[in-house]
Amino acid sequence: MSILSDFEDRVASAVEGLFAGAFRSPVQPVELARALGRAMDDERMVGVGKVYAPIDYTIALSPEDADKLRGFLPVLSGELATFLTERAREVGAHLTSKPVVTFTEHADLRLGRFRVSAEHVYGDAVEDVAEPEARSDVALEALDSPGDADVGAMDTVTVGETGHDVALRGDRMVVGRLAGCDICLADSNVSRRHAEFFRIDEDWFITDLESTNGTMLNAEPVNRARLRDGDVIEIGVTRLTYHRERG
């Protein structure tokens, strides 16, 4: 039996068959478990002779979902922590302690939508772990950078509330938390390599790179789509507005 199937069986048994009735929204326990598993993979860090998995996980729910599930959240939190322990063992990742899963409410989330983040808790038990490179809140290549006098004909994206316009250069530009991404966002809801802008002929597209929390286009989940002037892409809590400059 897979650890996901085992997780589902334990959850069903824990609430004597009533759990499924509580989940009338699109949010399902197995979806939360899968998202946590992806977050664990995304945040693993290499130490001396070990690969460390994060132990602190947060699931953000819409107020409506949180209200529906409030009585089940302690049970669900415990079962998800057990699932993560088993998954770490399955993939050979080291945990410094048992994972902790916390639920929060976010007013910007709609019914059935959720976000997952994972963090390491550093202490004496973790030695020589390669931590992520330090970076500013948003690392961007702005249009007024030296040598960019010829970017007027390029399509651009406006990133969040920063006022920065980023020119879409070449054929591909990756968005994520890694410092090496073309558009780097310091947001725990963003995967290391979250999404990619890519060009085919004269058109730019957006594609999700199997991120933990997904990518939204004009408030709808998207895997891959051609962009039109004024389209709004949501990655984590950041909005990127696409502007087509060419005729």
Side-chain angles (χ1 to χ4, degrees):
M1 179 181 292
S2 71
I3 59 174
L4 270 176
S5 297
D6 189 43
F7 163 76
E8 289 185 286
D9 288 346
R10 288 199 314 272
V11 168
S13 298
V15 294
E16 299 178 342
L18 298 177
F19 197 88
F23 276 82
R24 293 173 182 171
S25 78
V27 176
Q28 296 293 317
V30 70
E31 292 178 351
L32 297 175
R34 287 195 183 102
L36 288 173
R38 291 193 295 269
M40 174 181 282
D41 291 343
D42 201 41
E43 292 297 328
R44 282 186 291 178
M45 292 185 176
V46 178
V48 178
K50 292 180 180 178
V51 175
Y52 291 93
I55 60 171
D56 191 7
Y57 297 81
T58 302
I59 299 175
L61 299 171
S62 71
E64 295 88 347
D65 285 311
D67 186 60
K68 287 177 179 289
L69 306 176
R70 201 169 306 279
F72 297 100
L73 292 182
V75 172
L76 182 56
S77 177
E79 292 299 340
L80 287 169
T82 299
F83 164 78
L84 288 167
T85 301
E86 294 174 350
R87 193 175 190 285
R89 185 182 303 116
E90 183 180 65
V91 300
H94 181 74
L95 295 168
T96 58
S97 67
K98 184 175 181 178
V100 175
V101 180
T102 304
F103 288 89
T104 63
E105 296 181 30
H106 280 211
D108 64 315
L109 289 171
R110 296 178 296 168
L111 182 69
R113 296 287 299 171
F114 62 90
R115 284 197 295 262
V116 170
S117 60
E119 295 182 6
H120 289 264
V121 178
Y122 297 105
D124 294 338
V126 181
E127 300 177 356
D128 297 326
V129 174
E131 299 186 40
E133 296 180 46
R135 53 181 179 269
S136 59
D137 287 343
V138 183
L140 302 172
E141 189 173 2
L143 287 179
D144 56 358
S145 298
D148 286 349
D150 61 341
V151 299
M154 290 185 178
D155 293 3
T156 61
V157 290
T158 301
V159 181
E161 305 300 324
T162 65
H164 284 285
D165 287 336
V166 179
L168 296 177
R169 295 179 172 83
D171 293 322
R172 297 179 183 276
M173 291 189 69
V174 175
V175 185
R177 281 191 299 108
L178 285 177
C181 290
D182 301 290
I183 301 177
C184 178
L185 305 176
D187 174 0
S188 62
N189 298 301
V190 175
S191 295
R192 294 184 177 189
R193 289 172 54 86
H194 193 109
E196 181 180 71
F197 292 99
F198 67 95
R199 185 172 63 182
I200 298 178
D201 296 327
E202 295 299 306
D203 293 320
W204 280 94
F205 293 73
I206 185 71
T207 186
D208 184 78
L209 299 178
E210 298 184 355
S211 64
T212 299
N213 290 313
T215 300
M216 305 285 284
L217 176 62
N218 299 326
E220 296 293 335
V222 65
N223 289 322
R224 170 175 167 156
R226 183 168 67 88
L227 295 173
R228 296 174 174 82
D229 186 51
D231 279 348
V232 177
I233 302 103
E234 294 177 60
I235 296 177
V237 297
T238 303
R239 292 187 174 187
L240 300 94
T241 305
Y242 170 74
H243 304 286
R244 184 176 176 89
E245 298 296 336
R246 290 163 293 166

